[in-house]
Amino acid sequence: MLRMCLPISVIKEPSPGAKGDKALLYIIANWKMHGSKTFVQTFMQSLASYLVPDSGVSLIICPPTLYIQSLCEQIKILNIPFIQIGAQHSFAGSQTEGAFTGEHSASMLQESGCRYLLMGHSERRQYFAQTEAQIVQQGQSAYNAGLVPILCVGESLEQRQAAQTFEVIEGQLESFLSNFQIPVQAKDKVDLIIAYEPLWAIGTGLVATPEQSEAVHAWIRAYVEDRYPRFAKGLSVVYGGSVKPANAEALLAQPSMDGLLIGGSSMDAEALADIYAKAVSI
Ligand code: PGA
């Protein structure tokens, strides 16, 4: 069961629905290590035929790095410039270039057409031993390059069962936000997307209930407002973990929900367009 009270370090009550001045919803597709050049072409043609764009819902696709260029080309050819591109990985250091074989920097991603950068995804934490310090560095480099970080946080099944959900997320948020140098170009707000992705829901078919996701989202928002008000105004909190057309609407209807991060279902153009349409109708 989810602990329904806030850790003592957060003194304000959550304010459900308090979304700052942002009414925008995000639908974010995480393709992980899937796809091919041909897939990008056929997927985008199909997506363009299903999608009815709306200025209130932002669609971001995060392909494997090698297909960013192909995605840019398809967006241009199909004249669908409202689709934005996010990257799944960047070099976790302050250098924008250097002798780091196999890496690519946030500024290279920005130059290649990306506007967003995923970081802290549980698959990178688990399979690539990504550390909190590396995630902070990725966030810092993202801001320096003009990219918006999409920071993934979430608890394991064991941690949820031990009622440690908020403690785990507090640790992840604290290590990211407390170590941050606010970018010089930031004036009154710093854009940040936090993706609540419970590990037990990623790729498992198990999805957090709308009530479970709402409780965590409201808590995250209250925590940031209380501890890091500089980030509160530009903050969006999205949910990820086994999102499908069948469960998207109920999740999106929650007051503290700013959108969805979708893995498996985002490889199906019709399903992604359907989830997008549901976000438009909210
Ligand atoms: P899933 O993945 O939708 O396949 O569960 C979500 C994610 O890992 O971002």
Side-chain angles (χ1 to χ4, degrees), residues 149-173:
I150 304 171
L151 171 69
C152 302
V153 297
E155 82 288 3
S156 67
L157 185 59
E158 296 71 34
Q159 289 165 333
R160 172 164 281 262
Q161 285 167 343
Q164 292 169 344
T165 296
F166 292 117
E167 203 180 305
V168 170
I169 295 173
E170 179 173 8
Q172 292 167 335
L173 291 182

PDB file of all heavy atoms in Angstrom, residues 149-173:
ATOM      1  N   PRO A 149      15.491  18.653 -19.532  1.00  0.00           N
ATOM      2  CA  PRO A 149      15.653  17.302 -18.986  1.00  0.00           C
ATOM      3  C   PRO A 149      14.295  16.638 -18.717  1.00  0.00           C
ATOM      4  O   PRO A 149      13.355  17.297 -18.279  1.00  0.00           O
ATOM      5  CB  PRO A 149      16.374  17.530 -17.645  1.00  0.00           C
ATOM      6  CG  PRO A 149      16.892  18.920 -17.680  1.00  0.00           C
ATOM      7  CD  PRO A 149      15.986  19.683 -18.594  1.00  0.00           C
ATOM      8  N   ILE A 150      14.244  15.342 -19.009  1.00  0.00           N
ATOM      9  CA  ILE A 150      13.103  14.517 -18.576  1.00  0.00           C
ATOM     10  C   ILE A 150      13.701  13.535 -17.577  1.00  0.00           C
ATOM     11  O   ILE A 150      14.350  12.556 -17.958  1.00  0.00           O
ATOM     12  CB  ILE A 150      12.459  13.759 -19.767  1.00  0.00           C
ATOM     13  CG1 ILE A 150      12.026  14.737 -20.875  1.00  0.00           C
ATOM     14  CG2 ILE A 150      11.265  12.922 -19.289  1.00  0.00           C
ATOM     15  CD1 ILE A 150      11.574  14.049 -22.170  1.00  0.00           C
ATOM     16  N   LEU A 151      13.556  13.854 -16.302  1.00  0.00           N
ATOM     17  CA  LEU A 151      14.188  13.070 -15.237  1.00  0.00           C
ATOM     18  C   LEU A 151      13.249  11.952 -14.778  1.00  0.00           C
ATOM     19  O   LEU A 151      12.139  12.228 -14.312  1.00  0.00           O
ATOM     20  CB  LEU A 151      14.512  13.988 -14.045  1.00  0.00           C
ATOM     21  CG  LEU A 151      14.981  13.281 -12.778  1.00  0.00           C
ATOM     22  CD1 LEU A 151      16.367  12.658 -12.978  1.00  0.00           C
ATOM     23  CD2 LEU A 151      14.989  14.250 -11.593  1.00  0.00           C
ATOM     24  N   CYS A 152      13.705  10.699 -14.904  1.00  0.00           N
ATOM     25  CA  CYS A 152      12.876   9.565 -14.497  1.00  0.00           C
ATOM     26  C   CYS A 152      13.184   9.189 -13.048  1.00  0.00           C
ATOM     27  O   CYS A 152      14.352   9.069 -12.669  1.00  0.00           O
ATOM     28  CB  CYS A 152      13.144   8.355 -15.388  1.00  0.00           C
ATOM     29  SG  CYS A 152      12.842   8.678 -17.130  1.00  0.00           S
ATOM     30  N   VAL A 153      12.133   9.004 -12.278  1.00  0.00           N
ATOM     31  CA  VAL A 153      12.268   8.566 -10.888  1.00  0.00           C
ATOM     32  C   VAL A 153      11.230   7.464 -10.639  1.00  0.00           C
ATOM     33  O   VAL A 153      10.257   7.364 -11.369  1.00  0.00           O
ATOM     34  CB  VAL A 153      12.037   9.734  -9.884  1.00  0.00           C
ATOM     35  CG1 VAL A 153      13.081  10.822 -10.048  1.00  0.00           C
ATOM     36  CG2 VAL A 153      10.622  10.311 -10.000  1.00  0.00           C
ATOM     37  N   GLY A 154      11.471   6.654  -9.624  1.00  0.00           N
ATOM     38  CA  GLY A 154      10.469   5.632  -9.310  1.00  0.00           C
ATOM     39  C   GLY A 154      11.039   4.550  -8.427  1.00  0.00           C
ATOM     40  O   GLY A 154      12.256   4.358  -8.357  1.00  0.00           O
ATOM     41  N   GLU A 155      10.136   3.843  -7.790  1.00  0.00           N
ATOM     42  CA  GLU A 155      10.518   2.827  -6.812  1.00  0.00           C
ATOM     43  C   GLU A 155      10.348   1.417  -7.375  1.00  0.00           C
ATOM     44  O   GLU A 155       9.565   1.202  -8.305  1.00  0.00           O
ATOM     45  CB  GLU A 155       9.672   2.993  -5.536  1.00  0.00           C
ATOM     46  CG  GLU A 155       8.275   2.385  -5.562  1.00  0.00           C
ATOM     47  CD  GLU A 155       7.268   3.125  -6.448  1.00  0.00           C
ATOM     48  OE1 GLU A 155       7.647   4.100  -7.116  1.00  0.00           O
ATOM     49  OE2 GLU A 155       6.101   2.696  -6.499  1.00  0.00           O
ATOM     50  N   SER A 156      11.048   0.451  -6.771  1.00  0.00           N
ATOM     51  CA  SER A 156      10.886  -0.964  -7.142  1.00  0.00           C
ATOM     52  C   SER A 156       9.660  -1.525  -6.414  1.00  0.00           C
ATOM     53  O   SER A 156       9.118  -0.883  -5.502  1.00  0.00           O
ATOM     54  CB  SER A 156      12.130  -1.751  -6.739  1.00  0.00           C
ATOM     55  OG  SER A 156      12.222  -1.784  -5.326  1.00  0.00           O
ATOM     56  N   LEU A 157       9.291  -2.733  -6.794  1.00  0.00           N
ATOM     57  CA  LEU A 157       8.146  -3.376  -6.134  1.00  0.00           C
ATOM     58  C   LEU A 157       8.434  -3.595  -4.645  1.00  0.00           C
ATOM     59  O   LEU A 157       7.598  -3.324  -3.783  1.00  0.00           O
ATOM     60  CB  LEU A 157       7.840  -4.711  -6.823  1.00  0.00           C
ATOM     61  CG  LEU A 157       6.602  -5.440  -6.323  1.00  0.00           C
ATOM     62  CD1 LEU A 157       5.347  -4.576  -6.486  1.00  0.00           C
ATOM     63  CD2 LEU A 157       6.417  -6.760  -7.069  1.00  0.00           C
ATOM     64  N   GLU A 158       9.656  -4.048  -4.354  1.00  0.00           N
ATOM     65  CA  GLU A 158      10.018  -4.297  -2.945  1.00  0.00           C
ATOM     66  C   GLU A 158       9.937  -2.997  -2.148  1.00  0.00           C
ATOM     67  O   GLU A 158       9.468  -2.979  -1.008  1.00  0.00           O
ATOM     68  CB  GLU A 158      11.452  -4.850  -2.834  1.00  0.00           C
ATOM     69  CG  GLU A 158      11.691  -6.209  -3.475  1.00  0.00           C
ATOM     70  CD  GLU A 158      11.662  -6.174  -4.999  1.00  0.00           C
ATOM     71  OE1 GLU A 158      12.090  -5.158  -5.587  1.00  0.00           O
ATOM     72  OE2 GLU A 158      11.195  -7.149  -5.607  1.00  0.00           O
ATOM     73  N   GLN A 159      10.408  -1.920  -2.742  1.00  0.00           N
ATOM     74  CA  GLN A 159      10.380  -0.627  -2.033  1.00  0.00           C
ATOM     75  C   GLN A 159       8.936  -0.168  -1.813  1.00  0.00           C
ATOM     76  O   GLN A 159       8.597   0.336  -0.753  1.00  0.00           O
ATOM     77  CB  GLN A 159      11.169   0.415  -2.818  1.00  0.00           C
ATOM     78  CG  GLN A 159      12.664   0.146  -2.765  1.00  0.00           C
ATOM     79  CD  GLN A 159      13.466   0.908  -3.801  1.00  0.00           C
ATOM     80  OE1 GLN A 159      12.952   1.259  -4.865  1.00  0.00           O
ATOM     81  NE2 GLN A 159      14.731   1.156  -3.509  1.00  0.00           N
ATOM     82  N   ARG A 160       8.076  -0.381  -2.795  1.00  0.00           N
ATOM     83  CA  ARG A 160       6.659  -0.014  -2.617  1.00  0.00           C
ATOM     84  C   ARG A 160       6.034  -0.855  -1.514  1.00  0.00           C
ATOM     85  O   ARG A 160       5.332  -0.342  -0.651  1.00  0.00           O
ATOM     86  CB  ARG A 160       5.899  -0.177  -3.935  1.00  0.00           C
ATOM     87  CG  ARG A 160       4.390  -0.010  -3.790  1.00  0.00           C
ATOM     88  CD  ARG A 160       3.703   0.214  -5.104  1.00  0.00           C
ATOM     89  NE  ARG A 160       3.834   1.593  -5.553  1.00  0.00           N
ATOM     90  CZ  ARG A 160       2.898   2.526  -5.391  1.00  0.00           C
ATOM     91  NH1 ARG A 160       1.772   2.231  -4.782  1.00  0.00           N
ATOM     92  NH2 ARG A 160       3.070   3.753  -5.816  1.00  0.00           N
ATOM     93  N   GLN A 161       6.326  -2.141  -1.558  1.00  0.00           N
ATOM     94  CA  GLN A 161       5.728  -3.019  -0.548  1.00  0.00           C
ATOM     95  C   GLN A 161       6.228  -2.690   0.854  1.00  0.00           C
ATOM     96  O   GLN A 161       5.521  -2.905   1.832  1.00  0.00           O
ATOM     97  CB  GLN A 161       6.006  -4.488  -0.898  1.00  0.00           C
ATOM     98  CG  GLN A 161       5.117  -4.945  -2.051  1.00  0.00           C
ATOM     99  CD  GLN A 161       5.555  -6.283  -2.652  1.00  0.00           C
ATOM    100  OE1 GLN A 161       6.676  -6.741  -2.443  1.00  0.00           O
ATOM    101  NE2 GLN A 161       4.661  -6.899  -3.417  1.00  0.00           N
ATOM    102  N   ALA A 162       7.437  -2.137   0.915  1.00  0.00           N
ATOM    103  CA  ALA A 162       7.987  -1.741   2.223  1.00  0.00           C
ATOM    104  C   ALA A 162       7.612  -0.294   2.562  1.00  0.00           C
ATOM    105  O   ALA A 162       8.203   0.305   3.470  1.00  0.00           O
ATOM    106  CB  ALA A 162       9.501  -1.902   2.211  1.00  0.00           C
ATOM    107  N   ALA A 163       6.658   0.277   1.824  1.00  0.00           N
ATOM    108  CA  ALA A 163       6.183   1.652   2.050  1.00  0.00           C
ATOM    109  C   ALA A 163       7.315   2.678   1.964  1.00  0.00           C
ATOM    110  O   ALA A 163       7.364   3.645   2.714  1.00  0.00           O
ATOM    111  CB  ALA A 163       5.459   1.750   3.406  1.00  0.00           C
ATOM    112  N   GLN A 164       8.238   2.436   1.008  1.00  0.00           N
ATOM    113  CA  GLN A 164       9.390   3.353   0.862  1.00  0.00           C
ATOM    114  C   GLN A 164       9.291   4.226  -0.389  1.00  0.00           C
ATOM    115  O   GLN A 164      10.275   4.856  -0.784  1.00  0.00           O
ATOM    116  CB  GLN A 164      10.685   2.540   0.797  1.00  0.00           C
ATOM    117  CG  GLN A 164      11.022   1.857   2.109  1.00  0.00           C
ATOM    118  CD  GLN A 164      12.156   0.854   1.946  1.00  0.00           C
ATOM    119  OE1 GLN A 164      12.484   0.452   0.839  1.00  0.00           O
ATOM    120  NE2 GLN A 164      12.718   0.431   3.053  1.00  0.00           N
ATOM    121  N   THR A 165       8.117   4.232  -1.020  1.00  0.00           N
ATOM    122  CA  THR A 165       7.966   4.949  -2.296  1.00  0.00           C
ATOM    123  C   THR A 165       8.446   6.399  -2.200  1.00  0.00           C
ATOM    124  O   THR A 165       9.282   6.849  -2.981  1.00  0.00           O
ATOM    125  CB  THR A 165       6.494   4.908  -2.753  1.00  0.00           C
ATOM    126  OG1 THR A 165       6.156   3.544  -3.003  1.00  0.00           O
ATOM    127  CG2 THR A 165       6.262   5.714  -4.022  1.00  0.00           C
ATOM    128  N   PHE A 166       7.926   7.131  -1.220  1.00  0.00           N
ATOM    129  CA  PHE A 166       8.253   8.566  -1.139  1.00  0.00           C
ATOM    130  C   PHE A 166       9.713   8.792  -0.741  1.00  0.00           C
ATOM    131  O   PHE A 166      10.358   9.728  -1.209  1.00  0.00           O
ATOM    132  CB  PHE A 166       7.317   9.270  -0.161  1.00  0.00           C
ATOM    133  CG  PHE A 166       5.900   9.318  -0.673  1.00  0.00           C
ATOM    134  CD1 PHE A 166       4.886   8.671   0.003  1.00  0.00           C
ATOM    135  CD2 PHE A 166       5.573   9.999  -1.830  1.00  0.00           C
ATOM    136  CE1 PHE A 166       3.580   8.707  -0.463  1.00  0.00           C
ATOM    137  CE2 PHE A 166       4.275  10.036  -2.321  1.00  0.00           C
ATOM    138  CZ  PHE A 166       3.270   9.382  -1.633  1.00  0.00           C
ATOM    139  N   GLU A 167      10.193   7.914   0.115  1.00  0.00           N
ATOM    140  CA  GLU A 167      11.590   8.017   0.562  1.00  0.00           C
ATOM    141  C   GLU A 167      12.546   7.864  -0.633  1.00  0.00           C
ATOM    142  O   GLU A 167      13.505   8.626  -0.796  1.00  0.00           O
ATOM    143  CB  GLU A 167      11.818   6.874   1.548  1.00  0.00           C
ATOM    144  CG  GLU A 167      12.928   7.045   2.508  1.00  0.00           C
ATOM    145  CD  GLU A 167      12.983   5.800   3.383  1.00  0.00           C
ATOM    146  OE1 GLU A 167      11.952   5.445   4.015  1.00  0.00           O
ATOM    147  OE2 GLU A 167      14.047   5.187   3.410  1.00  0.00           O
ATOM    148  N   VAL A 168      12.252   6.867  -1.488  1.00  0.00           N
ATOM    149  CA  VAL A 168      13.101   6.610  -2.661  1.00  0.00           C
ATOM    150  C   VAL A 168      13.051   7.798  -3.616  1.00  0.00           C
ATOM    151  O   VAL A 168      14.084   8.302  -4.082  1.00  0.00           O
ATOM    152  CB  VAL A 168      12.629   5.324  -3.386  1.00  0.00           C
ATOM    153  CG1 VAL A 168      13.328   5.163  -4.731  1.00  0.00           C
ATOM    154  CG2 VAL A 168      12.874   4.104  -2.510  1.00  0.00           C
ATOM    155  N   ILE A 169      11.835   8.282  -3.880  1.00  0.00           N
ATOM    156  CA  ILE A 169      11.697   9.384  -4.836  1.00  0.00           C
ATOM    157  C   ILE A 169      12.307  10.663  -4.254  1.00  0.00           C
ATOM    158  O   ILE A 169      12.958  11.440  -4.969  1.00  0.00           O
ATOM    159  CB  ILE A 169      10.217   9.570  -5.232  1.00  0.00           C
ATOM    160  CG1 ILE A 169       9.751   8.321  -5.982  1.00  0.00           C
ATOM    161  CG2 ILE A 169      10.020  10.820  -6.084  1.00  0.00           C
ATOM    162  CD1 ILE A 169       8.291   8.271  -6.305  1.00  0.00           C
ATOM    163  N   GLU A 170      12.144  10.861  -2.969  1.00  0.00           N
ATOM    164  CA  GLU A 170      12.752  12.037  -2.329  1.00  0.00           C
ATOM    165  C   GLU A 170      14.274  12.005  -2.517  1.00  0.00           C
ATOM    166  O   GLU A 170      14.895  13.013  -2.854  1.00  0.00           O
ATOM    167  CB  GLU A 170      12.405  12.083  -0.837  1.00  0.00           C
ATOM    168  CG  GLU A 170      13.045  13.265  -0.142  1.00  0.00           C
ATOM    169  CD  GLU A 170      12.581  13.435   1.306  1.00  0.00           C
ATOM    170  OE1 GLU A 170      11.878  12.547   1.817  1.00  0.00           O
ATOM    171  OE2 GLU A 170      12.924  14.458   1.902  1.00  0.00           O
ATOM    172  N   GLY A 171      14.869  10.824  -2.334  1.00  0.00           N
ATOM    173  CA  GLY A 171      16.323  10.700  -2.508  1.00  0.00           C
ATOM    174  C   GLY A 171      16.741  11.030  -3.936  1.00  0.00           C
ATOM    175  O   GLY A 171      17.728  11.743  -4.163  1.00  0.00           O
ATOM    176  N   GLN A 172      15.978  10.535  -4.899  1.00  0.00           N
ATOM    177  CA  GLN A 172      16.320  10.772  -6.313  1.00  0.00           C
ATOM    178  C   GLN A 172      16.163  12.256  -6.667  1.00  0.00           C
ATOM    179  O   GLN A 172      17.015  12.843  -7.335  1.00  0.00           O
ATOM    180  CB  GLN A 172      15.432   9.906  -7.219  1.00  0.00           C
ATOM    181  CG  GLN A 172      15.740   8.412  -7.089  1.00  0.00           C
ATOM    182  CD  GLN A 172      14.683   7.527  -7.723  1.00  0.00           C
ATOM    183  OE1 GLN A 172      13.523   7.907  -7.864  1.00  0.00           O
ATOM    184  NE2 GLN A 172      15.069   6.322  -8.092  1.00  0.00           N
ATOM    185  N   LEU A 173      15.081  12.864  -6.183  1.00  0.00           N
ATOM    186  CA  LEU A 173      14.857  14.286  -6.485  1.00  0.00           C
ATOM    187  C   LEU A 173      15.887  15.154  -5.789  1.00  0.00           C
ATOM    188  O   LEU A 173      16.434  16.097  -6.366  1.00  0.00           O
ATOM    189  CB  LEU A 173      13.453  14.722  -6.024  1.00  0.00           C
ATOM    190  CG  LEU A 173      12.258  14.158  -6.797  1.00  0.00           C
ATOM    191  CD1 LEU A 173      10.966  14.734  -6.239  1.00  0.00           C
ATOM    192  CD2 LEU A 173      12.373  14.460  -8.283  1.00  0.00           C
TER     193      LEU A 173
END
